């Protein structure tokens, strides 16, 4: 719930659990999109590094939500479901791009990297994307979305302990890479 005076969320964050069958949802799909679209696009951008890919990932996730809205609207937080779809599709996209890149290298072509990140954040998010996928997802959801670990764990269908472990490992790796002398950085 949002405190109108401070504009801050108070109380525990909602999780994606189904409502009882007879309960009418608090929102329709349009209001759900207005509420979540920008933040989900931000998550997709951090995980993909591309504005175009972020928009595609977000639109795909919201289209999937639209197709299942009769079921999702009964969830306490369908936004968690959409974020999980984005996180999973970002991993699939990353794998596909890696496979394509390897194939292009095999035939002798080189692909130039495209950098679209804001200068002050570029180094961090490039390093985040170089982490193992689950660590990158947990880090992005906790740091970018400012979600508590139990909610992150729910979105990614992992335990809170596992989410905490991934976050600790991500932070340790990022700390090491960000403080390494310039000639040692990957």
């Amino acid at each position: 719930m949002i405190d109108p005076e401070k504009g801050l969320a108070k109380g525990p964050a909602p999780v994606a659990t189904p409502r009882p069958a007879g309960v009418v949802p608090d929102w329709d799909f349009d209001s759900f999109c207005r509420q979540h679209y920008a933040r989900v696009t931000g998550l997709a951008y951090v995980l993909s590094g591309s504005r175009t890919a972020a928009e595609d990932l977000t639109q795909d996730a919201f289209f999937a939500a639209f197709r299942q809205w009769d079921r999702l609207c009964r969830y306490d937080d369908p936004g968690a479901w959409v974020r999980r779809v984005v996180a999973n599709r970002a991993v699939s996209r990353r794998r596909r791009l890696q496979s394509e890149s390897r194939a292009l290298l095999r035939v002798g072509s080189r692909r130039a990297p495209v950098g679209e990140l804001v200068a002050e954040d570029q180094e961090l998010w490039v390093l985040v994307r170089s982490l193992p996928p689950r660590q990158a997802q947990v880090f992005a959801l906790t740091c970018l979305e400012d979600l508590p670990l139990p909610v992150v764990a729910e979105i990614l269908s992992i335990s809170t302990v596992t989410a905490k472990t991934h976050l600790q490992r991500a932070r340790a790796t990022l700390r090491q890479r960000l403080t390494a002398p310039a000639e040692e950085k990957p």
Side-chain angles (χ1 to χ4, degrees):
M1 176 177 281
I2 302 293
D3 184 310
E5 294 176 10
K6 297 179 184 173
L8 301 173
K10 49 184 213 183
V15 292
T17 55
R19 290 187 181 143
V23 176
V24 177
D26 296 331
W27 53 70
D28 61 9
F29 187 73
D30 290 338
S31 62
F32 168 73
C33 287
R34 282 190 298 276
Q35 181 181 358
H36 293 277
Y37 194 88
R39 296 202 44 101
V40 172
T41 302
L43 172 65
Y45 179 64
V46 165
L47 293 175
S48 70
S50 163
R51 292 186 198 289
T52 304
E55 291 169 3
D56 288 345
L57 289 167
T58 303
Q59 288 174 9
D60 288 348
F62 275 91
F63 181 67
F66 176 75
R67 289 191 334 234
Q68 299 183 42
W69 188 246
D70 289 341
R71 179 175 58 90
L72 293 177
C73 71
R74 292 189 304 266
Y75 283 21
D76 287 339
D77 184 10
W81 186 90
V82 170
R83 284 173 175 83
R84 181 174 178 196
V85 169
V86 164
N88 288 341
R89 291 186 181 192
V91 169
S92 297
R93 177 185 176 275
R94 179 194 225 172
R95 288 180 183 148
R96 186 180 67 252
L97 289 176
Q98 287 173 344
S99 295
E100 289 172 3
S101 181
R102 285 190 300 268
L104 287 172
L105 286 173
R106 280 193 301 267
V107 296
S109 298
R110 300 263 180 207
R111 193 171 175 183
V114 178
E116 298 182 27
L117 294 171
V118 179
E120 64 263 10
D121 296 336
Q122 182 176 14
E123 182 181 7
L124 172 66
W125 296 118
V126 166
L127 290 174
V128 168
R129 283 190 301 281
S130 72
L131 294 171
R134 206 46 109 188
Q135 288 181 24
Q137 292 168 351
V138 171
F139 186 84
L141 286 166
T142 55
C143 294
L144 178 70
E145 291 278 328
D146 198 27
L147 296 174
L149 280 174
V151 174
V152 171
E154 179 75 25
I155 289 171
L156 298 176
S157 292
I158 58 178
S159 72
T160 303
V161 172
T162 301
K164 184 177 180 179
T165 300
H166 284 305
L167 181 60
Q168 289 171 341
R169 289 178 181 169
R171 285 178 174 164
T173 301
L174 292 172
R175 187 177 305 112
Q176 178 186 15
R177 290 180 182 172
L178 287 170
T179 58
E183 61 274 358
E184 293 179 21
K185 289 186 181 178

